[in-house]
Amino acid sequence: MKEPIEQIAEWIVTSMRVVVFTGAGLSTESGIPDFRSPGGVWDRYHPEDFYFQNFLASESSREKYWQMATEMFEPIKKARPNPAHLAIAEMEKMKRLDCVITQNIDGLHLKAGNSNDKILELHGTAMFVSCLNCHKRYDRDTIQERIKRGEKAPRCDDCRGPLKPATISFGQSMPEAETQEAYHRSSLSDLFIVIGSSLVVQPAASMPLVAKRNGARLVIINRDPTPYDDMAEIVLHGQAGPTMAGILEMVKMKLGRGNPAIP
Ligand SMILES: [Zn+2]
């Protein structure tokens, strides 16, 4: 029996469609606080102010939302990709990645060097803002500048519709296209690697199941146990960064030794 890290590396080299699925554990390793933990932002706000219906319904909800969103954006803006993000970006460069499906909204896969069309953001992204009326997109920084200058609930330049970060709020439906595509890619994958997700938030958490039912090997790298650990070929309970860095080194060694042609 090979060491788990070597076995995972070998599967990455020999599989045809490697899908990586990432969650909050990856963000916390880049210094982004878990907003739902005690003492977090949520303690200072009322969750009901952030339901999508309320955002649509009242200007005062929108103002409170933007106040909280501005506070939450500070650590996201400052965060840098960690070794796990960088390893996933390297996998794309080596043509060993079908796509990365993420529950994170921090844009770190893009910052790490993955291309836009390889990233499926199930919960949207905090790096952009969109108009709820005409869907015009803005850079987040541009809108944060306007807030700094005194706007409380910014509106669209074109149609005056309310602007909202392009993340999925409570009560807001999941992005249809991304979700469908993520299920599709999961079902076609032959190696499905979960990194830094406890696999409890639905519907995202059912994707490893879809992959597994269609014959994929399942690998889980997460600090804590997940409901799917029993189903996985390999489970590693540890930090994503060092684990992925180790796996990447092995992948490079194996590819360097002239393994079969990469599609
Ligand atoms: Zn608009």
Side-chain angles (χ1 to χ4, degrees):
M1 180 74 190
K2 290 191 172 81
E3 286 293 314
I5 283 189
E6 189 182 358
Q7 181 64 74
I8 296 167
E10 189 171 307
W11 286 339
I12 289 174
V13 170
T14 56
S15 300
M16 300 301 288
R17 287 171 177 270
V18 182
V19 170
V20 170
F21 181 97
T22 66
L26 219 56
S27 302
T28 51
E29 283 185 39
S30 279
I32 297 171
D34 184 352
F35 298 111
R36 284 172 180 81
S37 65
V41 165
W42 290 115
D43 288 1
R44 276 169 281 133
Y45 295 91
H46 294 289
E48 59 269 28
D49 282 330
F50 310 107
Y51 280 86
F52 189 56
Q53 287 311 315
N54 294 344
F55 186 92
L56 292 178
S58 92
E59 185 73 3
S60 73
S61 269
R62 287 191 284 275
E63 289 180 5
K64 280 185 207 158
Y65 180 98
W66 272 103
Q67 201 184 332
M68 181 205 65
T70 298
E71 193 178 327
M72 285 170 79
F73 187 58
E74 276 306 308
I76 293 174
K77 186 180 156 73
K78 275 188 275 184
R80 310 305 313 161
N82 66 53
H85 293 108
L86 298 173
I88 297 163
E90 279 285 312
M91 284 169 63
E92 179 183 334
K93 288 195 192 84
M94 295 187 290
K95 301 205 183 327
R96 305 314 310 154
L97 181 74
D98 182 67
C99 68
V100 51
I101 302 170
T102 188
Q103 297 171 293
N104 300 335
I105 55 159
D106 50 36
L108 286 177
H109 288 300
L110 196 61
K111 276 191 196 166
N114 280 117
S115 44
N116 233 338
D117 62 353
K118 291 279 184 189
I119 307 169
L120 295 169
E121 292 169 315
L122 297 177
H123 299 172
T125 173
M127 305 309 285
F128 291 93
V129 167
S130 56
C131 170
L132 294 180
N133 184 45
C134 75
H135 307 294
K136 181 176 176 178
R137 262 163 97 88
Y138 298 79
D139 266 335
R140 182 68 183 265
D141 286 336
T142 314
I143 303 304
Q144 290 302 139
E145 272 306 311
R146 284 168 51 175
I147 286 177
K148 213 184 271 177
R149 289 199 302 268
E151 279 183 58
K152 287 187 168 151
R155 286 186 170 269
C156 180
D157 293 336
D158 287 358
C159 76
R160 306 305 297 155
L163 296 183
K164 185 182 165 297
T167 51
I168 307 302
S169 296
F170 300 121
Q172 192 173 7
S173 53
M174 304 277 287
E176 186 102 17
E178 278 85 351
T179 307
Q180 286 310 317
E181 184 68 11
Y183 274 116
H184 183 59
R185 300 289 190 98
S186 299
S187 72
L188 294 176
S189 77
D190 54 357
L191 176 63
F192 194 94
I193 307 176
V194 175
I195 308 172
S197 173
S198 301
L199 298 174
V200 288
V201 180
Q202 291 294 352
S206 60
M207 284 170 194
L209 202 63
V210 169
K212 185 77 192 171
R213 280 194 188 133
N214 286 280
R217 289 191 174 106
L218 176 61
V219 170
I220 298 176
I221 300 164
N222 192 47
R223 197 188 56 187
D224 303 314
T226 81
Y228 296 107
D229 283 8
D230 288 347
M231 210 181 279
E233 270 74 15
I234 296 179
V235 178
L236 294 175
H237 289 148
Q239 284 217 300
T243 308
M244 284 307 293
I247 291 170
L248 185 73
E249 277 312 301
M250 287 271 185
V251 169
K252 281 182 178 164
M253 273 168 54
K254 286 174 185 293
L255 288 174
R257 274 189 218 135
N259 268 281
I262 309 307

